[in-house]
Amino acid sequence: MSTKRRKVIAGNWKMNMTPSEAKELVKNIYAEVKGTKHCDVVVCVPAIDIPAVAQAVRGTCVKLGAQNVHFAEKGAYTGEISANMLKDCGVEYVIVGHSERRQYFGETDETVNKRAKAALDAGLTAIICVGEQLWERECGITAEIVSRQTKLALYDVPAEQLAKVIIAYEPVWAIGTGKTATDEQADEVCGIIRQVIADKYGKDAAKKIVIQYGGSMNAKNAAGLLSMANIDGGLIGGASLKPADFAVIVKAAQ
Ligand code: PGA
C-alpha cells in the first residue's frame, strides 16, 4: 500500500482583498497554477469574498476555503457564520484556530475543538492550526504545547472524520515575520504531531493525515520545507497574495 500523502498548498489571505480585488487575484492565481494535478490548491479568503471567489474558481483546480467558522448550527450569534452557510457557498475547507484568532480574538483550545467539530460535521475539511510562541520554544516546551493543542483540538473527533482533518503547524514566531523554521525544526514538530495522531488513532491514521507547515513559507524556502518527510504542504500567508510566488510554492510540492 502506498503511504504517499497528497500535498495541500493553501493560501491564507487573512484580512486582505475586497471582493473585486479578490476576483482579480484568484484569476491571476489560477492562470499560474492551471492544470496542477500533483497537489491540492486552496485559497482561504475573507468571508465577504467567498461568493465572488466561488464563482471565479468554479470548474478549476483551485479550491475554496474560509478562515473561520462558528460552532453553532444557527441562532443568536450576531456577526458569525455557520458551517452550513459556508458549504452552501461552495466552501470546502476552513481554517480553525489560527494563531491570530487565538491571540486577538479570544480563541481557546475549547473553541478550536468546537469549531473543528462543527466544520467536520458539515463535511468541510478543517485546517486546524497549532504552534508555539517564541518564549515557549525558548523554554523547551514546544512539543508539549503543540501536542496539547493537537489533542484538545481533536477531542471527541471520531476516526472516521480524520480524512477531513489537516493539521497546520505554524510556529507563532514565524508568522508574518520572515523568520522561517528550519526544514529540520519544522519536520521535527510535524513528526511530533504525527505521533500524537498515532497514539490516538493508530499508525495507519498517522500515515495518512496531512500535516502542513506555515510561517513565512515563500518561493525560496518552500522546496526545502516541502521535501521533508513529515511536511505535507503549506499554509501560506504573505506569499499567497503574490500569484507568481504562490505558483512557485505549488510547483515545489511536486
Ligand atoms: P505568513 O502567514 O506566511 O505570512 O507567515 C502564514 C499564516 O499565518 O498562515
Side-chain angles (χ1 to χ4, degrees):
M1 188 191 75
S2 165
T3 53
K4 208 157 184 301
R5 293 176 291 273
R6 189 170 168 78
K7 288 196 165 56
V8 181
I9 302 296
N12 173 11
W13 290 6
K14 308 195 179 184
M15 196 176 74
N16 294 292
M17 303 295 138
T18 65
S20 23
E21 290 166 348
K23 227 157 91 180
E24 196 59 28
L25 175 59
V26 81
K27 226 173 61 190
N28 293 335
I29 288 175
Y30 176 58
E32 295 273 356
V33 303
K34 200 160 34 183
T36 297
K37 291 207 178 74
H38 62 272
C39 70
D40 290 333
V41 180
V42 185
V43 289
C44 298
V45 308
I48 194 115
D49 296 346
I50 286 171
V53 176
Q55 201 187 9
V57 299
R58 194 163 300 143
T60 77
C61 62
V62 179
K63 295 166 190 244
L64 179 57
Q67 298 176 7
N68 192 20
V69 59
H70 195 262
F71 36 79
E73 228 169 274
K74 59 174 156 183
Y77 301 97
T78 303
E80 293 297 316
I81 295 175
S82 75
N84 278 332
M85 292 171 187
L86 296 176
K87 268 225 96 153
D88 194 63
C89 290
V91 170
E92 293 180 72
Y93 294 75
V94 62
I95 299 172
V96 174
H98 190 279
S99 67
E100 284 149 19
R101 298 220 59 91
R102 294 183 192 252
Q103 237 179 318
Y104 309 135
F105 301 101
E107 190 80 78
T108 65
D109 286 322
E110 188 187 356
T111 54
V112 170
N113 171 247
K114 286 165 85 173
R115 288 183 212 282
K117 286 206 294 194
L120 294 168
D121 286 345
L124 295 167
T125 295
I127 302 177
I128 299 171
C129 301
V130 299
E132 82 287 2
Q133 300 181 43
L134 184 59
W135 70 304
E136 292 168 332
R137 174 164 284 269
E138 287 172 352
C139 279
I141 59 168
T142 297
E144 211 174 308
I145 293 290
V146 168
S147 301
R148 179 191 154 90
Q149 287 176 341
T150 306
K151 284 179 200 163
L152 290 172
L154 294 175
Y155 169 71
D156 217 14
V157 171
E160 305 84 74
Q161 289 187 332
L162 216 57
K164 293 254 182 185
V165 172
I166 293 175
I167 308 286
Y169 167 54
E170 298 207 306
V172 179
W173 50 270
I175 294 177
T177 57
K179 243 200 252 167
T180 325
T182 64
D183 299 349
E184 291 73 23
Q185 280 173 329
D187 189 60
E188 184 193 5
V189 182
C190 290
I192 290 166
I193 293 168
R194 204 173 295 287
Q195 189 55 49
V196 169
I197 302 297
D199 293 344
K200 183 172 159 96
Y201 296 100
K203 271 194 189 142
D204 203 46
K207 270 187 200 154
K208 287 187 188 144
I209 193 159
V210 171
I211 303 178
Q212 297 174 316
Y213 168 79
S216 298
M217 190 185 271
N218 59 37
K220 285 207 180 84
N221 59 30
L225 287 160
L226 294 171
S227 71
M228 302 306 283
N230 281 304
I231 302 179
D232 311 318
L235 184 57
I236 297 115
S240 75
L241 299 172
K242 301 175 195 147
D245 289 22
F246 189 61
V248 171
I249 299 172
V250 168
K251 288 204 182 80
Q254 203 149 20

